[in-house]
């Protein structure tokens, strides 16, 4: 039995259907990440589960209990669902300990029930208890917000882009601390984000929301290596697309004859991850190309490559920074591993217009 | 960015010292006059039943008015900002308009409705509450708007119902705005004179006026004025403390959603009725009674001077002239202080600025009496001169102007001026091409606020206006005092129209909050 069961969820805002029949389950103890661009409906989904808004169709069940349907709406205050807002939303008039115990009964508040334990859980030292929220860094505020949400032992924890306001270094550190705390607490959680790296690294499963529909929900590995559509492929990572003809498990395209992951045939749209494209400096059996631009990132570099033998568009390749050829260099391209291909009618643009 | 402390030039500093001294002059004169009575007389004058009665009257009224304003102001703000109340935009505007109607005009209206029913504590309570609840409404509504909705949502997710969310999350964060607004109400009620005098309710201000009229030596009015000044300054200091210590910075910096609105449900019918009742008491009665008396022929009312339109025009013109003159003199005194406060550091600058704000704690009646006692003998040419009246206005409204001047000058941030200098502009060009264009709207707003405040000012005008000068305010006062309600009506209509129109212009240009500054000490 799934902990959270969401079935055919639909929601209209101002006459526009922002959620169109969303359905998925979350198992107890699981952390599911929902990834979506702004306007995809991901925050609305979270607010419906929390009970801040009413749904127009479908059902939300937690355990065996019906929380919401078009006729039923259990008040947010009685759902027992923890919520961590975008910037933490710590109560500015209360110290850290009073924030953490806010959702507890009066006796427990007086006794500062579990404050030290929760602070330790989110990786903060005990002396933080008496600090004012104003004196915490953004990352510390998020940790306290998490401790506050965990304090009443919620049946489900919702995290609404909790790291988006933090700067890069702090984001990774806070993300790791939060992931540790959630798994140590054994909490069931849903994380909503627009950051694919965050979703892939934190979620045991990741769902991609596209214009109010759940385009795909699977493990991070499957999502990255076998996206169901060009849109998902492009959204969860960098992707190179090019036309090709598929037959007998091979696809013929500007980069040669490549092995296919799935069995399709006919005109296709080939998707290759930039890190799959390998560079050789001598004429082997690869495709000749010229390095047009180099974007150096330190750990690796992204090259824009113009293919010589074809009218094909430029491709990008991600290579280790140790082996970056200079601009203008001639290189030979090969593709490592199998590639994905989608029926040619579905281009990225086509997918989007088809959805709208 | 920490800029090196800059030393002001000597001329500007000297001007600042002179201005601050002039502004504090009335407090000094009052203190000297009070001290001149000697200890024994002072004790005898203050330690008698009359003082006790005044203190009781004043404090009881202020307590009731402040609490009533807090409840009404917060309730209205909550309904307008946080519920699905139909027509809430309109209600929001109606909640602010009373600020543009001087309390003595409201008391004229209620008094002319029934002169026996309202000439007592309850009449005074009603009039002052209806005049000043916007002082709570405006800051509380702004605080509600600024509050991060995620706080309330988080509290709900943690198991709190609507009532509990309000008590545990909303109210604690409203506290600075609410307390600040309540102290403004208290301060305004303390210095209110016209409304109480017309309603024959005895407070410190009316007693001071009576003592002065009865021709007592300077000692008694000065002693009572000193007590009043102490009470006012206590309010002022408390307000500053509330503002300084309890302002919770917003933690979130980024985007935030719109605040949730609560469904009124079964209250959807009750709330508009309550608000409508409030609107009737605060606006319909004052404006309606003026309209009613306008249609009554002069003979129907006990007229002193038959109201002719030429007199109304003359009085309007006087009011406009005094308003313009007062605004000009006030701005002239506010600019050097504003420049000092925004462009230079140092203890002397800080002291000068504080001194100017302290003047808010001096009621109009105390300023007027101090200036009279100063000029009646020693500087007689100034006594009952237009200049003295304008100076009184400048003292009264300098703090108000200074706040706007200060924020206007801050609009032209230092780094913009530095950018100008790096582009090769010399100091005068920086002033003309960067500072003033950026500050101009704010300076205009400051002048407009002073103009409105001067035209609706009654107390100092009454005591200091040269013989033969009648303004709209003094004419309303004279006619109402002699129960000539119909005669007062055209003057009241002209003043209310002028004040409401100017306030509307101000609010449209600078937001509803700017109207808040029209109250005494609301800076």
């Amino acid at each position: 039995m799934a902990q959270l069961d969401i079935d055919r969820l639909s929601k209209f805002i101002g006459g526009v259907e922002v959620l169109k029949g969303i359905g998925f389950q979350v198992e107890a103890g699981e952390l599911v990440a929902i990834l979506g661009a702004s306007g995809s409906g991901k925050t609305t989904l979270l607010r419906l589960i929390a009970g801040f808004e009413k749904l127009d169709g479908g059902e939300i069940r937690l355990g065996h209990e019906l929380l919401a349907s078009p006729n039923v709406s259990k008040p947010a205050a009685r759902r027992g669902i923890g919520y961590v807002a975008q910037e933490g939303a710590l109560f500015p008039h209360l110290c850290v300990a009073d924030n953490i115990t806010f959702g507890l009964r009066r006796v427990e508040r007086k006794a500062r029930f579990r404050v030290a334990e929760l602070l330790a859980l989110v990786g903060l030292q005990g002396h933080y208890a008496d600090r004012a929220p104003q004196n915490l860094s953004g990352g510390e505020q998020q940790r306290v917000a998490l401790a506050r949400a965990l304090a009443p032992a919620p049946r489900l924890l919702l995290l609404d882009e909790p790291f988006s306001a933090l700067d890069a270094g702090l984001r990774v550190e806070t993300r790791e601390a939060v992931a540790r705390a959630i798994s140590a607490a054994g909490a069931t959680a849903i994380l909503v984000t627009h950051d694919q790296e965050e979703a892939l690294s934190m979620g045991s499963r990741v769902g991609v929301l596209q214009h109010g529909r759940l385009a795909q929900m699977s493990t991070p590995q499957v999502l990255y290596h076998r996206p169901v559509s060009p849109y998902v492929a492009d959204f969860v990572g960098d992707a190179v697309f090019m036309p090709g003809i598929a037959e007998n498990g091979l696809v013929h395209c500007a980069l040669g004859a490549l092995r296919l992951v799935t069995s399709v045939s006919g005109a296709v749209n080939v998707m290759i991850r930039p890190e799959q494209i390998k560079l050789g400096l001598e004429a082997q059996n690869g495709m000749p190309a010229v390095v047009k631009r180099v974007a150096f990132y330190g750990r690796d570099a992204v090259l824009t490559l113009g293919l010589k033998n074809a009218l094909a568009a430029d491709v990008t390749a991600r290579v280790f920074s140790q082996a970056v050829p200079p601009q203008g260099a001639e290189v030979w391209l090969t593709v490592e591993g199998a590639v994905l291909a989608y029926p040619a009618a579905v281009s990225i643009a086509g997918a989007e217009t088809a959805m709208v | 960015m920490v800029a090196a402390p800059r030393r002001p030039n000597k001329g500007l500093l000297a001007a600042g010292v002179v201005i601050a001294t002039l502004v504090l002059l009335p407090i000094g004169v009052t203190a000297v006059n009070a001290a001149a009575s000697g200890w024994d007389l002072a004790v005898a004058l203050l330690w008698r039943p009359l003082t006790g009665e005044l203190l009781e009257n004043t404090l009881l009224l202020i307590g009731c008015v402040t609490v009533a304003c807090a409840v009404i102001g917060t309730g209205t703000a909550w309904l307008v900002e946080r519920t699905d109340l139909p027509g809430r935009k309109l209600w929001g505007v109606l909640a602010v308009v009373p600020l543009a109607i001087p309390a003595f005009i409201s008391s004229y209206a209620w008094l002319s409705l029934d002169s026996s029913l309202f000439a007592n504590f309850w009449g005074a309570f009603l009039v002052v509450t209806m005049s000043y609840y916007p002082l709570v409404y405006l800051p509380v509504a702004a605080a509600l708007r600024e509050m991060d909705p995620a706080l309330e949502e988080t509290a709900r997710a943690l198991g709190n119902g609507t009532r509990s969310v309000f008590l545990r999350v909303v109210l604690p964060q409203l506290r600075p705005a609410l307390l600040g607004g309540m102290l403004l109400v208290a301060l305004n009620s303390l210095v209110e004179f016209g409304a109480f005098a017309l309603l024959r309710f005895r407070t410190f201000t009316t007693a001071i006026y009576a003592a002065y009229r009865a021709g007592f030596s300077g000692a008694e009015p000065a002693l009572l004025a000193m007590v009043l000044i102490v009470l006012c300054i206590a309010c002022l200091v408390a307000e500053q403390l509330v503002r300084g210590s309890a302002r919770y910075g917003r933690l979130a910096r980024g985007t935030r959603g719109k605040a949730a609105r609560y469904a009124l449900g079964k209250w959807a019918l009750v709330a508009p009725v309550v608000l409508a009742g409030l609107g009737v008491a605060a606006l319909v009665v004052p404006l309606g009674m003026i309209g009613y008396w306008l249609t009554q022929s002069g003979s129907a009312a006990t007229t002193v001077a038959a109201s002719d339109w030429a007199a109304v025009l003359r009085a309007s013109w006087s009011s406009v002239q005094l308003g313009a003159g007062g605004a000009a003199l006030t701005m002239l005194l506010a600019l050097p202080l504003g420049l000092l406060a925004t462009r230079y550091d140092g203890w002397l600058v800080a002291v000068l600025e504080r001194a100017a704000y302290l003047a808010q704690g001096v009621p109009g009646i105390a300023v007027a009496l101090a200036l009279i006692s100063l000029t009646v003998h020693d500087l007689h040419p100034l006594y009952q001169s237009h200049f003295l009246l304008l100076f009184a206005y400048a003292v009264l409204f300098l703090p108000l102007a200074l706040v706007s001047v200060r924020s206007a000058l801050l609009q032209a941030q230092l780094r913009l001026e530095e950018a100008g200098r790096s582009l090769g502009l010399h100091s005068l060009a920086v002033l003309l091409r960067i500072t003033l264009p950026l500050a101009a709207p704010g300076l205009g707003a400051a002048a407009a606020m002073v103009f409105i405040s001067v035209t609706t000012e009654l107390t100092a005008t009454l005591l200091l206006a040269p013989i033969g000068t009648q303004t709209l305010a003094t004419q309303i006062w004279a006619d109402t005092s002699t129960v000539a309600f119909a005669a007062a009506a055209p003057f009241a209509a002209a003043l209310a129209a002028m004040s409401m129109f100017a306030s509307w212009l101000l609010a449209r240009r600078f937001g509803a909050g700017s109207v808040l500054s029209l109250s005494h000490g609301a800076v």
Side-chain angles (χ1 to χ4, degrees):
Chain A
M1 177 69 202
Q3 175 75 359
L4 178 74
D5 188 347
I6 284 173
D7 189 25
R8 286 166 296 141
L9 210 60
S10 140
K11 170 74 180 172
F12 288 82
I13 295 177
V16 180
E17 191 174 18
V18 292
L19 291 178
K20 303 164 184 169
I22 304 279
F24 64 91
Q25 277 112 36
V26 180
E27 306 294 333
E30 196 184 14
L31 194 164
V32 165
I34 300 289
L35 180 63
S38 63
S40 62
K42 56 186 191 303
T43 295
T44 306
L45 173 65
L46 214 59
R47 296 173 61 81
L48 286 177
I49 301 172
F52 300 146
E53 277 168 48
K54 294 195 169 83
L55 49 76
D56 295 311
E59 286 182 1
I60 301 172
R61 288 174 183 278
L62 189 60
H64 292 279
E65 187 193 5
L66 177 65
L67 289 187
S69 73
N71 309 316
V72 178
S73 181
K74 192 172 188 182
R78 290 196 271 121
R79 288 194 183 192
I81 294 180
Y83 174 68
V84 178
Q86 235 172 64
E87 295 183 29
L90 294 187
F91 302 118
H93 58 293
L94 300 175
C95 71
V96 166
D98 290 344
N99 260 289
I100 292 177
T101 56
F102 192 90
L104 303 178
R105 284 172 296 142
R106 189 183 294 269
V107 236
E108 293 170 328
R109 294 209 292 270
K110 285 249 163 67
R112 292 201 163 185
F113 183 69
R114 288 183 66 207
V115 167
E117 181 193 332
L118 284 161
L119 277 175
L121 185 69
V122 296
L124 291 176
Q125 286 171 306
H127 62 79
Y128 274 83
D130 292 310
R131 292 224 188 148
Q134 289 84 348
N135 302 332
L136 301 183
S137 73
E140 290 165 346
Q141 288 182 23
Q142 282 302 358
R143 294 179 193 211
V144 174
L146 178 68
R148 177 179 65 183
L150 288 172
R155 292 188 287 174
L156 174 69
L157 185 65
L158 305 175
L159 303 134
D160 184 7
E161 303 213 30
F163 314 111
S164 61
L166 306 179
D167 47 39
L170 205 53
R171 194 181 305 157
V172 174
E173 185 194 323
T174 311
R175 194 194 286 164
E176 280 164 6
V178 165
R180 270 199 304 276
I182 290 174
S183 89
T188 309
I190 298 179
L191 165 81
V192 147
T193 178
H194 64 266
D195 181 331
Q196 45 96 5
E197 196 182 300
E198 191 170 301
L200 295 177
S201 66
M202 288 190 77
S204 57
R205 282 187 300 145
V206 179
V208 175
L209 265 191
Q210 179 187 6
H211 302 300
R213 280 182 217 281
L214 194 59
Q216 182 172 3
M217 180 172 258
S218 39
T219 62
Q221 289 82 356
V222 170
L223 189 71
Y224 189 76
H225 293 302
R226 298 215 177 166
V228 295
S229 68
Y231 176 88
V232 175
D234 195 44
F235 195 68
V236 298
D238 295 334
V240 174
F241 291 97
M242 60 179 61
I245 304 289
E247 53 178 5
N248 303 328
L250 286 180
V251 61
H252 301 273
C253 64
L255 285 174
L258 309 176
R259 203 154 46 81
L260 277 172
V261 175
T262 50
S263 61
V264 281
S265 59
V268 292
N269 187 15
V270 186
M271 191 283 284
I272 305 163
R273 294 290 181 201
E275 63 271 21
Q276 283 184 285
I277 298 176
K278 300 294 173 188
L279 273 58
L281 295 177
E282 290 157 41
Q284 301 158 339
N285 50 357
M287 292 296 179
V290 172
V291 177
K292 285 182 158 178
R293 277 192 302 281
V294 178
F296 188 78
Y297 291 107
R299 180 180 48 189
D300 52 18
V302 172
L303 309 180
T304 307
L305 305 155
L307 287 165
K308 277 188 171 176
N309 297 349
L311 296 168
D314 294 345
V315 299
T316 54
R318 186 180 287 274
V319 299
F320 284 118
S321 60
Q322 304 276 335
V324 182
Q327 192 171 331
E330 193 163 78
V331 292
W332 281 264
L333 308 182
T334 52
V335 174
E336 193 178 84
V339 299
L340 271 176
Y342 307 96
V346 188
S347 67
I348 302 182
E352 287 194 73
T353 46
M355 289 301 175
V356 176
Chain B
M1 188 190 71
V2 179
R6 297 204 288 160
R7 299 196 170 280
N9 81 33
K10 294 242 161 52
L12 197 57
L13 203 56
V17 171
V18 171
I19 292 164
T21 313
L22 284 174
V23 165
L24 291 183
L25 192 65
I27 300 185
V29 171
T30 309
V32 167
N33 286 347
S37 61
W39 184 251
D40 292 340
L41 184 57
V43 170
L45 281 173
L46 288 179
W47 208 257
R48 58 187 172 147
L50 172 72
T51 318
E53 188 204 321
L54 290 178
L55 209 56
E56 195 188 317
N57 267 0
T58 307
L59 294 182
L60 185 67
L61 185 84
I62 285 169
C64 291
V65 166
T66 307
V67 170
C69 285
V71 172
I72 294 172
T74 308
T76 312
W78 172 263
L79 284 173
V80 170
E81 296 293 336
R82 281 304 164 82
T83 67
D84 57 356
L85 177 77
R88 46 185 182 260
K89 269 218 163 119
L90 181 70
W91 293 120
V93 173
L94 289 181
V96 185
V97 177
L99 264 190
I101 304 175
F104 69 87
I105 290 196
S106 300
S107 47
Y108 150 79
W110 287 99
L111 209 55
S112 72
L113 190 64
D114 187 325
S115 48
S116 60
L117 197 57
F118 295 107
N120 52 32
F121 175 87
W122 294 110
F125 170 73
L126 176 75
V127 166
V128 177
T129 303
M130 287 302 113
S131 293
Y132 292 142
Y133 79 83
L135 295 180
V136 173
Y137 169 84
L138 275 171
V140 169
L144 281 173
R145 266 198 303 280
E146 275 168 28
M147 210 176 283
D148 187 354
L151 296 176
E152 283 158 75
E153 283 169 355
T154 306
R156 278 163 71 201
L158 287 168
N160 293 271
T162 308
R163 219 176 81 100
S164 167
V165 170
F166 184 80
L167 292 177
R168 292 184 63 198
V169 176
V170 178
L171 205 55
Q173 293 187 79
L174 287 183
R175 221 180 55 174
L178 182 59
L179 284 180
M182 287 169 74
L183 285 162
L184 284 184
V185 170
L187 186 60
N188 277 271
S189 313
L190 269 177
V191 302
E192 178 61 52
F193 164 73
F196 295 142
L198 291 177
L199 293 165
R200 283 174 221 109
F201 181 72
R202 299 226 294 180
T203 67
F204 270 100
T205 49
T206 60
I208 294 167
Y209 183 73
Y212 164 71
R213 282 283 139 143
F216 289 133
S217 69
E220 186 179 348
L223 275 168
L224 291 175
M226 218 44 224
V227 176
L228 186 57
I229 289 175
V230 167
L231 288 175
C232 286
I233 288 180
C235 272
L236 203 61
V237 170
E239 202 256 350
Q240 290 292 324
L241 287 180
V242 165
R243 219 193 276 208
S245 70
R247 180 166 288 174
Y248 308 117
R250 246 172 65 81
L251 289 170
R253 301 157 302 279
T255 53
R256 71 201 152 105
K258 274 210 303 234
R261 290 195 179 273
Y262 294 90
L264 278 174
K266 61 184 178 203
W267 298 98
L269 291 174
V270 182
V273 173
V274 173
L275 288 179
L278 203 60
V280 166
L283 290 174
V284 175
V285 168
L287 299 180
M289 286 314 293
I290 295 174
Y292 168 78
W293 287 111
L294 274 179
T295 62
Q296 303 301 303
S297 64
S299 56
T302 347
T303 40
V304 188
S307 70
D308 60 305
W309 288 100
V312 176
L313 271 181
R314 267 200 310 278
S316 301
W317 182 234
S318 301
S319 288
V320 169
Q321 275 182 311
L322 287 174
L329 185 61
T330 309
M331 291 302 286
L332 195 68
L333 298 186
L335 267 174
L337 284 180
L339 277 173
L340 279 173
T342 54
R343 294 292 184 275
Y344 303 100
D345 310 312
W347 64 269
L348 186 55
V349 172
V351 167
L352 291 179
E353 206 191 351
R354 291 268 144 194
Y357 286 127
L358 199 63
Q360 284 175 86
V362 193
I365 189 137
V367 170
L369 289 187
L371 292 182
I372 288 175
S373 81
L374 197 65
T375 54
V376 73
H377 299 300
D378 304 335
L379 298 161
H380 201 69
L382 280 177
Y383 181 64
Q384 288 217 323
S385 69
H386 278 105
F387 178 78
L388 193 67
L389 182 55
L390 295 183
F391 177 68
Y393 292 145
V395 169
L396 282 172
F397 302 124
L398 184 85
L400 158 66
L402 189 54
V403 173
S404 294
V405 167
R406 197 179 195 288
S407 64
L409 289 175
L410 281 176
Q411 288 292 307
Q413 293 158 358
L414 205 55
R415 55 192 175 80
L416 295 181
E417 296 183 3
E418 283 166 356
R421 246 177 268 138
S422 76
L423 291 168
L425 272 61
H426 52 83
S427 330
L428 185 64
V430 166
L431 187 70
L432 291 179
R433 290 179 57 194
I434 297 174
T435 313
L436 282 182
L438 283 167
L443 296 180
M449 284 172 196
V450 176
F451 177 84
I452 300 175
S453 303
V454 168
T455 50
T456 55
E457 207 282 341
L458 174 68
T459 324
T461 317
L462 204 59
L463 288 166
L464 292 174
I467 291 179
T469 300
Q470 285 290 4
T471 69
L472 290 172
T474 57
Q475 194 66 54
I476 298 165
W477 163 266
D479 289 336
T480 309
S481 306
T482 51
V483 210
F485 296 128
F491 300 99
L495 185 55
M498 200 192 285
S499 165
M500 283 166 67
F501 179 68
S503 307
W504 175 72
L505 282 182
L506 199 63
R508 215 180 56 147
R509 182 77 174 74
F510 298 97
S514 60
V515 183
L516 181 64
S517 326
L518 293 176
S519 68
H520 188 93
V523 290

